[in-house]
Each structure stands twice: as C-alpha cells, then as structure tokens.
Amino acid sequence: MLSFQWGAKLEDAQMAVAIGDEEAQNFTNHTWPFKLPEGSIGHWNSITVLEDGSILALTSTNGYSEKGKTEVWMIKGHLEKK
C-alpha cells in the first residue's frame, strides 16, 4: 500500500491510497479513504497495517470541523479484493 496526497494543487489535496504488487510496483486501485467535502484539505497522511491485518489511515483535515479548523482524523478499515 502507498499513501500520498492527490490534488491539482496543495489547497485541494487529500489522501489517496494505491495497492502495488509483491515488488512494490505497478500501483493501481486508487481510493480516497476520507470522503471530504469539496474545498477541504487532507494533508500529512499516514497508513499502517496492524497485527490483525486491519489498516489505520490518518489525515489532517478541515473537512469535518464545524469551525473550519484543521484536525487529525483516523479511520480503521481493511483491504478488500475486487
């Protein structure tokens, strides 16, 4: 798995994740774990795989703040085969 910022410019970038092969190449299946409102950001992202195989994703975003402040948000998920 690879986590990176995706956007035409920094002001609208958000977290994206892609899945690579066993040699960490050919990354495909881009997803956006956080469903952010238009005009919000998702910067300084991180992912990790836990011992049970679940995945934690973190982002700094203003997309969920009632006051427009940047906050750190985390979600827990798992890899699904398509």
Side-chain angles (χ1 to χ4, degrees):
M1 281 188 301
L2 173 69
S3 168
F4 55 98
Q5 287 181 188
W6 179 291
K9 55 187 177 178
L10 187 61
E11 293 81 14
D12 67 3
Q14 61 178 297
M15 179 182 200
V17 175
I19 307 299
D21 60 23
E22 295 85 17
E23 297 177 8
Q25 297 180 10
N26 304 309
F27 287 91
T28 60
N29 300 318
H30 299 95
T31 60
W32 292 263
F34 295 91
K35 307 300 180 213
L36 299 178
E38 187 173 332
S40 59
I41 60 164
H43 295 163
W44 310 112
N45 309 296
S46 181
I47 55 174
T48 190
V49 179
L50 302 177
E51 288 181 17
D52 66 0
S54 59
I55 301 164
L56 291 182
L58 289 96
T59 192
S60 298
T61 183
N62 60 358
Y64 305 124
S65 172
E66 293 179 12
K67 298 181 181 181
K69 304 260 183 186
T70 300
E71 306 165 328
V72 177
W73 282 75
M74 177 189 79
I75 57 174
K76 185 176 180 180
H78 58 277
L79 185 62
E80 291 184 8
K81 294 189 180 200
K82 291 185 178 186

